[in-house]
Amino acid sequence: METLKTLIIGSGPAGYTAAIYAARADLKPVLYTGMEPGGQLTTTTEVDNFPGYPNGIDGPTMMIQLQNQAERFGTEVRIGFINKVEFSTNKGGMHKAFTEDGTEIQAQTIIISTGATAKYLGLPSEQRLRGGGVSACAVCDGFFYKGQEVAIVGGGDTAAEEATYLAKICSKVTMLVRKEQMRASKVMQHRVTNTPNIDLKYNTEIDEVLGQEVVEGLRMRNNNTGTTEEIPITGLFIAIGHKPNTDIFKGQLNMDDAGYLITKGKTTDTNLPGVFASGDVQDKEYRQAVTAAGTGCMAALDAERYLQAVESSVAI
Ligand code: NDP
């Protein structure tokens, strides 16, 4: 068994940024990558909106660079998965985390950056064309479809927001909502219906995404009448929600109804002392690499301050 000052769980922009700051503060962090080393950005082709990359960068390369930067300051990055935690409820107490092979790790502070996973429809054609025109992030990938016809699936606030975002870039946006009404807030619904180049289709689902290497079209089905229609598109955006990766924290950390971790005020503090949350696991609003990185930095600073406070109270 080992004892750490700081354990970081998750390897997206939040986890690696926390690692950079924690390592520079001499907290000797160990970072467990999780099942998808590099996180959601490894499924994106080009990242054009992260400050500091004037020519853009592809997602996997950016994540390797973040890893290298974290390692340069002494972070130990381990390819592995934490599948159980036992948090202490006392200030200064030791938290326990267990890897998939049962190894126990004790840590004074734990930074949770396990992210969220975009939900997909699960159609074989959709899965085959991920990265070939199927995306779960309009803000990340919409720009590549400038002046083109695209479609978006979903009827919540995310779909409504992303549809209006895409409508500013693309010539036409077909929005598919599976029920006869949208779940999005009224104000967002109005924005959608007042945007002339959004073609809103209720009671409509996807039968198949058309195209072999890249998206070329969509066959959609009206679930009331059963009639199908094919439309040409080059991009398909899936906006049917995200699932925060918080299953192993249930019963120990406060979360909202959707499972996102709740942090206190402007900090990354969870309800337990020494346990911090950063990135998409505690943010369903912004969900950007740069905002995740920002909260990763905050989590490392919060951990450092917490450790200082614990040490000074022991000294007294
Ligand atoms: P939601 O869970 O709110 O909405 C998901 C949408 O996807 C629903 O319309 C749902 O349909 C649809 N859907 C789910 N599965 C499928 C499927 N298999 N096929 C077709 N459609 C499907 O997720 P969001 O990401 O939109 O929002 C998450 C949370 O974040 C919400 O609380 C939202 O209010 C909030 N948010 C707020 C924003 C803001 O205030 N600016 C911006 C973005 C999000 P159905 O209704 O039929 O179940």
Side-chain angles (χ1 to χ4, degrees):
M1 189 183 60
E2 62 185 332
T3 303
L4 307 174
K5 277 190 176 171
T6 301
L7 171 68
I8 299 169
I9 312 176
S11 58
Y16 280 133
T17 306
I20 292 165
Y21 275 77
R24 286 170 60 88
D26 211 20
L27 304 185
K28 303 191 169 35
V30 168
L31 180 149
Y32 272 80
T33 59
M35 296 286 256
E36 190 179 49
Q40 289 182 74
L41 277 189
T42 56
T43 62
T44 305
T45 41
E46 196 81 6
V47 180
D48 262 347
N49 54 6
F50 199 93
Y53 294 100
N55 302 315
I57 182 165
D58 71 278
T61 305
M62 182 178 158
M63 296 320 300
I64 288 167
Q65 290 188 354
L66 274 170
Q67 178 179 343
N68 292 344
Q69 193 173 356
E71 286 173 332
R72 178 156 75 95
F73 299 110
T75 304
E76 187 181 334
V77 175
R78 295 183 188 162
I79 310 288
F81 193 68
I82 301 292
N83 66 358
K84 190 176 138 194
V85 288
E86 285 171 14
F87 293 134
S88 166
T89 52
N90 302 324
K91 187 174 177 186
M94 277 289 176
H95 304 293
K96 294 178 188 170
F98 300 85
T99 63
E100 73 268 44
D101 64 5
T103 305
E104 180 181 331
I105 299 165
Q106 294 206 351
Q108 287 176 282
T109 60
I110 295 191
I111 296 174
I112 299 167
S113 313
T114 47
T117 306
K119 293 182 191 164
Y120 283 86
L121 301 167
L123 296 169
S125 54
E126 170 210 51
Q127 293 303 309
R128 189 183 70 242
L129 290 162
R130 275 175 67 178
V134 173
S135 162
C137 180
V139 179
C140 319
D141 298 329
F143 184 77
F144 303 115
Y145 304 92
K146 198 172 180 182
Q148 300 173 34
E149 296 191 11
V150 299
I152 184 162
V153 191
D157 280 321
T158 302
E161 196 168 273
E162 296 199 341
T164 49
Y165 175 84
L166 288 167
K168 291 187 196 128
I169 304 167
C170 304
S171 58
K172 182 180 171 189
V173 181
T174 303
M175 182 168 178
L176 314 184
V177 178
R178 68 178 172 181
K179 289 191 183 139
E180 69 278 358
Q181 83 270 343
M182 291 169 70
R183 191 193 290 200
S185 54
K186 284 282 176 275
V187 62
M188 292 306 295
Q189 293 192 35
H190 289 146
R191 256 182 237 171
V192 168
T193 50
N194 288 334
T195 305
N197 62 336
I198 297 179
D199 183 9
L200 184 54
K201 295 199 181 292
Y202 290 109
N203 292 113
T204 305
E205 295 175 49
I206 296 183
D207 249 5
E208 195 179 347
V209 191
L210 307 173
Q212 282 309 312
E213 303 293 319
V214 292
V215 172
E216 290 167 11
L218 197 62
R219 188 170 63 248
M220 51 194 185
R221 181 174 38 85
N222 182 301
N223 55 26
N224 268 342
T225 62
T227 51
T228 58
E229 185 189 345
E230 288 188 7
I231 53 167
I233 53 161
T234 50
L236 172 65
F237 294 88
I238 312 292
I240 61 170
H242 285 73
K243 184 184 179 304
N245 301 317
T246 54
D247 286 353
I248 62 168
F249 311 119
K250 280 197 177 121
Q252 299 188 64
L253 295 181
N254 291 345
M255 4 187 131
D256 69 10
D257 291 345
Y260 286 89
L261 296 183
I262 295 172
T263 49
K264 290 183 194 161
K266 288 184 178 174
T267 73
T268 61
D269 298 1
T270 66
N271 54 302
L272 293 181
V275 181
F276 307 92
S278 62
D280 287 13
V281 74
Q282 51 83 60
D283 169 26
K284 65 183 174 196
E285 287 287 327
Y286 300 103
R287 295 197 295 245
Q288 299 301 301
V290 67
T291 51
T295 55
C297 157
M298 289 161 61
L301 295 177
D302 287 339
E304 188 187 357
R305 284 175 196 153
Y306 167 82
L307 286 167
Q308 273 167 3
V310 168
E311 276 160 29
S312 54
S313 63
V314 169
I316 295 165

